Amino acid sequence: MQRLSLLFPSALFPSARSRFEEHAAWRSETLALAASVFFALFCNLPLWRALLAGRQADSPSTWGYAAALFVALVALQFVLLALVVTRRTAKPLLTLLLATTAAAAYYMHKYGVFFDSTMVRNVLRTDVAEARELVDVGLIVQLMLGALLPSLLLWRLPVRSQPVLGAFVRRIGVIVLGVAVAIGALLLVFQDISSKIRNERQVRFLVTPANYVWSMFDVLLADTRGAQRPREVVGADATLGPRWDGRGRPALLVIVVGETVRAMNWGLNGYARQTTPQLARRDDVINFPDVTSCGTNTESSLPCLFSPWGRKHYDEGRIRNAESLLNVFRHAGIDVLWRDNQSGCKGVCTGIEQQTLSKSGDRQLCDGERCLDEILLRGLPEWLAAQQGPQVLVLHQLGNHGPAYYKRYPPAFRRFTPSCDSADLQQCSREQIVNAYDNAILYTDHLLGQLIGLLQSHAETLDSAVIYVSDHGESLGESGLFLHGVPYPIAPSEQTRVPMIMWFSSGFAPSFGLDLACLHGQAAQHWSHDNLFHTALGLLDVRTAVHDPSMDLSASCRH
């Protein structure tokens, strides 16, 4: 019995065990403080890199600056956690934060992304196939070390129970103390940190987990407000202009929305290797070498591309809650069809006929999760043969969507080698990544060549035009950045400069009074996504008050 008591003293002395557990139990405030220290130390490497950039590592002033910022960061995050972490919520809430913060920190460090509102919105709209491609061994290791192990330790810790009134008073006290400590620490380095924040406002989107939590609430609040407002009607006065009077043949405008193609790798723009051989062989293709995008990710760029406000008068809430260019065409009596091989139209095609092809069962072009972009041309000959009146067709590509560039083209287009045949870009050299990326552009060139050839075969019965433009660009390792989504004000040109081309059938230009020689001259100027809305209306001679001739790049080339 004596030996048993040595092994299990708490079984024989329950009151002693109770007193020991009560003494060893953690207050919820202590857990919040420990989590804040953990986040500041292990989940904010991109933030520390940005804050300490340009400083001497062996300088005492640098260490003092870093120490003050560390104290301020811990105090601020502690204050935020102290508002929501209680005895009952501490373990589940901190476990969730550990998991999401570990994942966010991994992608911030690996790809150089910023978790602002647009990035969080992009994440929330990511489909399963896209998310699966972003899961790799590195993420699993990060989740195990940065989330699983701390969570296991967290759940083994007892949390102290406190009287309600005493707990409330204590909580108010520690929050006030946390605010005071944060202010005091920031005052010590106020001149340096205020200059940094003023010149690099995007740094605030590196503070993890505050960055994605704040952005998520911002997105949810904006979506809630948008859902409560009626959708703004755009171009309700749209009508077909005189060029449609007495037409003997139908007319079609095809808008091909590319994905993640940057201008600097576009063969027609003078790239060192020819990534657009089929388009280069055509004299009737008009290339626009200097075009900028409206955003750096699909979620923001696509709605902006089809809006009348664009980047020049950018208002995200208004753009998302208003009709698009496609609705204006419908108001004018033009039939519109959206064919999608991506993750949807982001609200652009609301009220428009849609065909989702990304889940097609085509065994030749689909693998059960994704389809190659040629799926967008499946059934198109029959569709074209059946057209009678004015039509607009939008083809939304999967294009160069990363990081699995090698999955965006069939084996026949693996011409630039060695290529990165993995979604984990860290496993590949930059040369391999660029080769896979350029192979995907080759396939887009092939798709556009096939499309133009198909329309050309119907030139006797159909007047047609094609506009191709990518939604945004891509970083392939420049300045340590990969993929896209950097906040627009600081985004590199790799993510904002995109390719654009136009093509017109032999009957389209004369029937709509378009001077192609003039348009070739216009192509050399600088243009942007902002011009698409007004140019598309002008090309099809749609008359409406929302059409701005000064933004229509074809206006001076139409008789």
Side-chain angles (χ1 to χ4, degrees), residues 235-251:
D237 62 333
T239 58
L240 297 180
R243 290 287 178 180
W244 291 94
D245 295 341
R247 286 189 59 86
R249 297 188 300 185

Side-chain angles (χ1 to χ4, degrees), residues 248-250 457-463:
R249 297 188 300 185
S457 67
H458 288 73
E460 296 299 322
T461 58
L462 177 68
D463 294 333

Side-chain angles (χ1 to χ4, degrees), residues 48-234:
W48 291 117
R49 188 186 298 121
L51 291 177
L52 300 176
R55 290 182 170 270
Q56 297 295 326
D58 57 352
S59 171
S61 63
T62 298
W63 286 94
Y65 172 77
L69 290 181
F70 176 79
V71 171
L73 179 62
V74 170
L76 287 173
Q77 300 216 93
F78 168 73
V79 169
L80 294 176
L81 287 177
L83 295 173
V84 292
V85 171
T86 66
R87 178 174 175 270
R88 295 184 182 277
T89 65
K91 292 184 177 182
L93 182 60
L94 291 179
T95 299
L96 177 63
L97 279 176
L98 285 169
T100 53
T101 302
Y106 176 74
Y107 289 118
M108 289 169 64
H109 174 65
K110 183 174 182 179
Y111 297 122
V113 301
F114 292 73
F115 278 96
D116 60 354
S117 298
T118 38
M119 177 55 70
V120 168
R121 187 185 297 276
N122 213 35
V123 171
L124 294 175
R125 302 294 190 274
T126 299
D127 59 28
V128 175
E130 184 177 343
R132 190 176 290 116
E133 291 177 354
L134 291 169
V135 176
D136 54 31
V137 175
L139 175 62
I140 295 173
V141 172
Q142 174 89 349
L143 289 174
M144 291 182 64
L145 296 178
L148 181 60
L149 292 182
S151 296
L152 291 175
L153 175 62
L154 172 65
W155 283 90
R156 290 183 64 85
L157 295 175
V159 182
R160 183 178 301 181
S161 177
Q162 304 175 74
V164 175
L165 181 59
F168 178 76
V169 173
R170 177 186 293 273
R171 184 60 53 95
I172 296 298
V174 296
I175 289 176
V176 171
L177 179 62
V179 171
V181 170
I183 293 175
L186 289 175
L187 286 176
L188 294 175
V189 291
F190 179 77
Q191 185 173 352
D192 287 342
I193 193 61
S194 61
S195 176
K196 171 71 73 171
I197 298 299
R198 185 168 55 252
N199 296 325
E200 302 176 37
R201 293 176 58 83
Q202 72 282 357
V203 168
R204 67 189 188 278
F205 294 118
L206 295 176
V207 181
T208 314
N211 52 359
Y212 70 83
V213 173
W214 177 272
S215 297
M216 184 174 297
F217 277 107
D218 186 44
V219 169
L220 295 176
L221 182 61
D223 287 351
T224 301
R225 289 174 176 171
Q228 295 173 347
R229 297 198 307 264
R231 197 160 187 247
E232 183 178 348
V233 177
V234 176

Side-chain angles (χ1 to χ4, degrees), residues 341-354:
N341 189 38
Q342 246 254 45
S343 55
C345 68
K346 314 304 180 185
V348 171
C349 58
T350 300
I352 304 298
E353 182 183 356
Q354 306 169 43

